[in-house]
Amino acid sequence: MRNDYQTVKGFGVSEIVIQKSRFLTFVDRVETEQEAQDFINNIKQQHRDATHNCSAYIIGEHDNVQKANDDGEPSGTAGVPMLEVLKKQGLKDTVVVVTRYFGGIKLGGGGLIRAYGKATTEGIDAAKVVERKLHHLMKVQVDYTWLGKVENEVRNSAYPLKEINYADSVEFFVYTIANEEITFTNWIIEMTNGQAKIEVVEKEFLEFDVN
């Protein structure tokens, strides 16, 4: 299982005009090929009057699924350069559709490659890139006499605090980056003189914006 990877934050749309042709770019995060196809078909349906609806997507932990479609543009001038942008940026689980409304001026093969590449980059910028890092949600259970110290230490640490549950004892739910559970556990044990109960509750990805 991957511990961290980059993808888009969510849906994004952008528009550029090159030599009077309009290039509308639609980007989104998808987890399956069916989701990617549904997204592409939806954009095509919305822009049935467009000259071309070119697409590309990359899906899977090891980029298992990679597809590109020129939708009538000269072979290799649209879908492939779009896919190359996704790969170059190291994005996973991402689909992009570039809708072109022809403006009457032919761009030539090189011009098309540059146009679709630029349109894809603009769309990704609009969707925003995030890094997803695998974390373990740890439950720290202590007596109420430790509430103040543990809360203060956790809040001033690099470990994100999800929530505190006040029951018969106090339960802190804290995130640690995968593979740091032992370091975290030792830190809590030392802090509480070994009086805390610590366990891994679940694994979860947290997202961080990429500048």
Side-chain angles (χ1 to χ4, degrees), residues 175-190:
Y175 289 109
T176 71
I177 293 177
N179 303 322
E180 285 192 6
E181 310 93 292
I182 295 177
T183 300
F184 174 82
T185 298
N186 290 338
W187 178 60
I188 294 293
I189 289 174
E190 182 178 353

Side-chain angles (χ1 to χ4, degrees), residues 124-189:
I124 292 169
D125 289 345
K128 301 188 183 305
V129 175
V130 294
E131 183 172 17
R132 306 192 80 219
K133 293 184 178 181
L134 182 64
H135 283 65
H136 288 175
L137 182 61
M138 311 290 291
K139 181 171 79 170
V140 178
Q141 188 174 355
V142 295
D143 185 81
Y144 273 89
T145 56
W146 292 102
L147 171 60
K149 181 174 184 179
V150 174
E151 181 175 2
N152 182 65
E153 292 289 340
V154 169
R155 289 192 184 278
N156 285 287
S157 73
Y159 300 108
L161 174 64
K162 181 179 182 181
E163 63 179 335
I164 303 175
N165 183 30
Y166 302 96
D168 293 337
S169 57
V170 186
E171 296 174 340
F172 294 88
F173 292 88
V174 186
Y175 289 109
T176 71
I177 293 177
N179 303 322
E180 285 192 6
E181 310 93 292
I182 295 177
T183 300
F184 174 82
T185 298
N186 290 338
W187 178 60
I188 294 293
I189 289 174

Side-chain angles (χ1 to χ4, degrees), residues 44-148:
K44 284 186 171 182
Q45 182 67 22
Q46 292 179 33
H47 295 273
R48 294 187 300 273
D49 58 336
T51 315
H52 307 280
N53 285 290
C54 306
S55 59
Y57 54 85
I58 188 165
I59 299 169
E61 181 174 355
H62 302 291
D63 303 335
N64 317 65
V65 181
Q66 301 182 28
K67 295 288 177 66
N69 191 309
D70 295 313
D71 194 41
E73 291 282 28
S75 180
T77 63
V80 170
M82 291 164 60
L83 180 61
E84 285 303 312
V85 171
L86 298 180
K87 293 164 67 174
K88 184 177 181 180
Q89 293 203 20
L91 298 179
K92 297 182 182 296
D93 298 344
T94 303
V95 59
V96 56
V97 178
V98 177
T99 296
R100 182 188 183 190
Y101 287 89
F102 183 55
I105 300 175
K106 294 185 176 181
L107 301 181
L112 287 171
I113 291 171
R114 289 189 294 274
Y116 279 98
K118 181 178 181 180
T120 301
T121 300
E122 295 278 344
I124 292 169
D125 289 345
K128 301 188 183 305
V129 175
V130 294
E131 183 172 17
R132 306 192 80 219
K133 293 184 178 181
L134 182 64
H135 283 65
H136 288 175
L137 182 61
M138 311 290 291
K139 181 171 79 170
V140 178
Q141 188 174 355
V142 295
D143 185 81
Y144 273 89
T145 56
W146 292 102
L147 171 60

